[in-house]
């Protein structure tokens, strides 16, 4: 009877708005948006987390008309989408780095189906992307997501999200820096591969009988793999720092 008495129009409306906020989180945030997590699982997680977080909602009066409620629901989904872009930039930076590495190694055609994104990706890119996801989970990435939702419940009332100019400005700046961060991650491998290409070019000039296809390419790929093994810890540290910076920006702007 106590549960039935709590099912007022206001509580049901706030419950639906919170459900939409969690739906936006689980639909667009990295790791939760991959193909390995079925839509039914994401929907069940959204409903379960809504039940857990519903007591944290501040008790206010529900004064939404039907049109205002529909607009508020759309803004809750927009909140999850915009917040996910803050973190998607970090994962896109490491994807740009791995694509650049694969291209310079000559392994662009060595691609396979990526079960996470549902598209064809290079083998090197898939390995580093999986390492990035494992690292993100090891530093409690999923816990930070839930803490962010709890933070927004106190800073942004349900149905009260407004798209501000500082959020758009940060996203534009972040996407502009995405290529710079990705290039910085891949620079040691790209630089050494460029140096090896110069050396092989000089050898071919002095020794025309040198078979670049039979000797040069396997040697270049082997050198690149050795350098990747050596610099992968530095790439993961940079990825972790960028991920922490993205979460700090989320707490500051939302």
């Amino acid at each position: 009877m106590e549960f039935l008495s709590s099912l007022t129009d206001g509580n049901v409306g706030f419950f639906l708005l919170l459900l939409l906020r969690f739906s936006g989180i689980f639909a667009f945030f990295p790791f939760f948006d991959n193909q390995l997590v079925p839509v039914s699982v994401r929907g069940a997680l959204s409903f379960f987390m809504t039940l857990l977080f519903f007591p944290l909602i501040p008790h206010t009066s529900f004064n939404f008309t039907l049109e205002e409620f529909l607009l508020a629901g759309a803004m809750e989904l927009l909140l999850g989408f915009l917040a996910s872009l803050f973190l998607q930039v970090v994962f896109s930076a490491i994807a740009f780095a791995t694509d650049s590495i694969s291209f310079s190694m000559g392994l662009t055609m060595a691609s396979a189906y990526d079960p996470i994104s549902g598209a064809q990706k290079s083998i090197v890119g898939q390995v580093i992307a999986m390492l990035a996801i494992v690292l993100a989970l090891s530093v409690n990435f999923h816990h930070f997501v839930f803490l962010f939702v709890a933070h927004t419940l106190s800073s942004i009332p349900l149905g009260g999200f407004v798209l501000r100019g500082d959020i758009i400005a940060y996203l534009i700046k972040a996407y502009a820096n995405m290529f710079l961060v990705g290039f910085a991650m891949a620079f040691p491998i790209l630089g050494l591969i460029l140096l090896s290409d110069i050396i092989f070019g000089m050898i071919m000039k002095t020794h025309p009988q040198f078979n670049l296809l039979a000797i040069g390419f396997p040697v270049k790929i082997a050198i690149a793999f050795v350098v990747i093994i050596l610099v992968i810890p530095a790439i993961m540290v940079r990825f972790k720092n960028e991920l922490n910076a993205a979460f700090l920006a989320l707490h500051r702007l939302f």
Side-chain angles (χ1 to χ4, degrees):
M1 294 298 294
E2 182 179 355
F3 174 75
L4 293 177
S5 63
S6 64
L7 294 179
T8 61
D9 293 341
N11 286 340
V12 172
F14 284 128
F15 183 88
L16 292 176
L17 290 176
L18 182 58
L19 179 63
L20 288 174
R21 181 171 295 190
F22 270 109
S23 299
I25 296 294
F26 287 114
F28 303 115
F29 264 55
F31 176 73
F32 297 108
D33 67 336
N34 66 67
Q35 301 293 323
L36 297 178
V37 182
V39 177
S40 58
V41 173
R42 278 180 271 179
L45 281 174
S46 300
F47 182 77
F48 178 70
M49 297 308 299
T50 302
L51 291 176
L52 289 180
F53 279 75
F54 187 72
L56 299 178
I57 298 176
H59 295 285
T60 57
S61 59
F62 188 82
N63 298 320
F64 291 95
T65 63
L66 178 60
E67 293 79 9
E68 292 173 344
F69 181 76
L70 294 176
L71 180 60
M75 295 305 291
E76 292 297 331
L77 292 175
L78 180 62
L79 186 151
F81 174 71
L82 291 176
S84 70
L85 293 181
F86 282 60
L87 304 179
Q88 292 286 0
V89 169
V90 182
F91 285 87
S92 297
I94 200 168
F96 173 75
T98 55
D99 289 342
S100 301
I101 293 171
S102 299
F103 179 79
S104 62
M105 291 173 62
L107 296 179
T108 306
M109 298 301 294
S111 60
Y113 176 76
D114 181 18
I116 296 178
S117 62
Q120 292 286 332
K121 282 191 175 181
S122 62
I123 301 298
V124 177
Q126 290 190 38
V127 172
I128 298 180
M130 289 298 294
L131 284 176
I133 292 177
V134 171
L135 176 63
L137 294 177
S138 67
V139 297
N140 295 325
F141 164 80
H142 49 304
H143 293 175
F144 286 121
V145 173
F146 299 141
L147 289 175
F148 165 72
V149 177
H151 168 73
T152 59
L153 289 178
S154 58
S155 61
I156 304 174
L158 291 173
F161 174 69
V162 178
L163 181 60
R164 304 193 311 272
D166 54 351
I167 297 177
I168 301 300
Y170 177 87
L171 287 175
I172 293 174
K173 183 179 179 180
Y175 271 94
N177 292 333
M178 178 185 70
F179 300 99
L180 180 61
V181 173
F183 181 76
M185 292 179 178
F187 179 75
I189 299 99
L190 298 180
L192 193 60
I193 291 176
L194 177 60
L195 180 61
S196 65
D197 288 337
I198 294 174
I199 293 174
F200 287 140
M202 296 172 62
I203 293 175
M204 288 190 64
K205 281 295 183 179
T206 56
H207 300 280
Q209 67 274 15
F210 177 76
N211 192 337
L212 181 63
L213 292 176
I215 301 175
F217 283 162
V219 171
K220 183 174 71 171
I221 293 174
I223 292 173
F225 274 121
V226 171
V227 178
I228 289 175
I229 294 173
L230 294 176
V231 303
I232 194 67
I235 294 177
M236 292 295 105
V237 169
R238 180 63 185 273
F239 169 77
K240 179 182 176 181
N241 294 336
E242 294 295 330
L243 197 62
N244 290 332
F247 273 112
L248 289 176
L250 280 176
H251 284 273
R252 186 176 69 253
L253 296 176
F254 286 88

